[in-house]
Amino acid sequence: MAKVYAILSGKGGVGKTTTTINLGTSLNKLGHDVIIVDGNLTTPNIGIHLGAPIVPTTLNHVLNGQAKVEDAIYEHESGTKIIPASLSLKESEKVDYRKLIDFARKLKKISNNILIDSAAGLGEEAKSSMLASDEIIIVTNPEMSAVTDALKAIKLAEELGKPVTGVIITRFQGKPVEMSISNIKDMLEVPILGIIPEDDAIKESQVMKNAVIFTHPKSPASKSYNLTTRRLLGENVKFEVHKKGFLRKLLGSLGIQSY
Ligand SMILES: Nc1ncnc2c1ncn2[C@@H]1O[C@H](COP(=O)(O)OP(=O)(O)OP(=O)(O)O)[C@@H](O)[C@H]1O
Ligand SMILES: [Mg+2]
């Protein structure tokens, strides 16, 4: 059955767009059909990250009734399908975010996996992504401020009756100043889907306008995104060790096996 996932965080800049692109391309690589939607209508980034900043038909046109859903779908060289939003400030101001709900319903007839990269914060824009989705994926960094905002996003999802599939912790470095994985798990009370390390390969992939799983398939971030995707698909995948010994100890204390 087709499913819409909204990728949200609360706090901005934690890695939602990077995560959406890499989960989407990883799912696609595993043979699942996917469409990535730039639901961050005020500050869209998907097109920029994937080298399609300006396209003739955007999500904005579809939401405004000026184009059909099919006309706004573009295929990236990786094979992943994307629906970019308009970079024009004027066009983003005209959009009624609530139309995302009907739009997502239509998309489910075209693809089985729809990933909506959402806006930061918990305002109308982010809320509309939640309402348009079947499940929510939360992205956070291992910092108190980001985790606190992630908790607010989870509470909002609960209020709206939307299940949270899990949390993806990005830019993990295993430093003592970071919040521990076990503290994050205790605070958020949702499954951990993935732990993505801080990795320069991410920035290099963005310069190359492609997903890190394609540009740097052997990088730690790429491996972690692939494992995260398999967990999203329901596989029981062990957690990887990013810092020898350190994460193993933490995961062990959670009762999670690592290799
Ligand atoms: N694992 C990582 N290692 C290193 N840098 C990363 C990693 N993940 C994301 N980044 C960097 O963090 C920055 C923010 O990432 P991204 O744009 O994906 O966040 P976002 O949550 O979508 O932001 P916004 O809230 O503005 O939409 C980018 O510069 C990106 O290159
Ligand atoms: Mg973003």
Side-chain angles (χ1 to χ4, degrees):
M1 211 179 84
K3 208 181 261 186
V4 180
Y5 296 95
I7 290 80
L8 287 118
S9 61
K11 192 175 191 309
V14 295
K16 290 180 294 301
T17 302
T18 307
T19 297
T20 309
I21 288 172
N22 282 288
L23 288 184
T25 42
S26 178
L27 276 170
N28 186 60
K29 209 172 154 197
L30 288 170
H32 299 269
D33 69 303
V34 188
I35 299 182
I36 293 176
V37 178
D38 200 338
N40 186 351
L41 283 147
T42 41
T43 49
N45 277 164
I46 291 283
I48 295 170
H49 278 244
L50 292 177
I54 297 167
V55 291
T57 309
T58 63
L59 173 60
N60 306 58
H61 292 110
V62 181
L63 297 182
N64 289 336
Q66 296 161 303
K68 285 192 286 185
V69 176
E70 291 84 350
D71 298 335
I73 303 175
Y74 298 84
E75 193 169 317
H76 181 254
E77 59 179 78
S78 63
T80 312
K81 296 193 181 88
I82 60 170
I83 300 187
S86 170
L87 289 181
S88 147
L89 185 59
K90 258 194 187 152
E91 283 186 15
S92 73
E93 281 168 348
K94 280 192 277 179
V95 173
D96 179 356
Y97 307 132
R98 287 166 303 182
K99 296 215 167 124
L100 264 180
I101 300 167
D102 189 47
F103 166 79
R105 211 172 291 138
K106 284 185 187 148
L107 263 189
K108 280 168 86 168
K109 294 192 183 123
I110 300 175
S111 179
N112 278 331
N113 299 283
I114 293 118
L115 302 186
I116 307 180
D117 179 28
S118 308
L122 298 172
E124 284 309 309
E125 202 176 353
K127 207 167 152 184
S128 299
S129 293
M130 275 197 188
L131 288 170
S133 70
D134 299 305
E135 290 185 26
I136 313 282
I137 295 172
I138 301 288
V139 177
T140 186
N141 294 153
E143 292 164 11
M144 185 51 95
S145 58
V147 178
T148 305
D149 290 353
L151 182 59
K152 282 192 202 157
I154 291 168
K155 295 286 172 215
L156 180 61
E158 280 169 7
E159 271 174 32
L160 298 176
K162 298 290 176 179
V164 176
T165 317
V167 60
I168 300 176
I169 301 163
T170 61
R171 309 198 72 167
F172 177 83
Q173 297 186 72
K175 288 187 176 167
V177 288
E178 291 178 359
M179 265 184 88
S180 71
I181 304 290
S182 60
N183 282 348
I184 296 174
K185 198 167 187 275
D186 286 349
M187 199 166 147
L188 299 182
E189 296 179 318
V190 293
I192 294 182
L193 274 180
I195 303 167
I196 316 296
E198 174 77 21
D199 190 344
D200 281 347
I202 294 277
K203 294 201 191 296
E204 285 167 26
S205 72
Q206 282 160 2
V207 173
M208 294 164 83
K209 310 281 179 223
N210 207 332
V212 77
I213 67 148
F214 275 96
T215 59
H216 302 69
K218 292 191 175 142
S219 64
S222 172
K223 288 181 186 162
S224 297
Y225 271 123
N226 283 324
L227 296 177
T228 303
T229 304
R230 287 172 49 200
R231 284 187 205 105
L232 183 64
L233 291 168
E235 271 186 60
N236 186 9
V237 183
K238 289 177 187 170
F239 277 80
E240 58 280 29
V241 175
H242 297 300
K243 279 237 164 174
K244 240 187 165 175
F246 178 74
L247 185 56
R248 192 189 295 272
K249 242 169 52 194
L250 279 177
L251 294 174
S253 70
L254 284 173
I256 298 171
Q257 254 189 315
S258 58
Y259 58 83

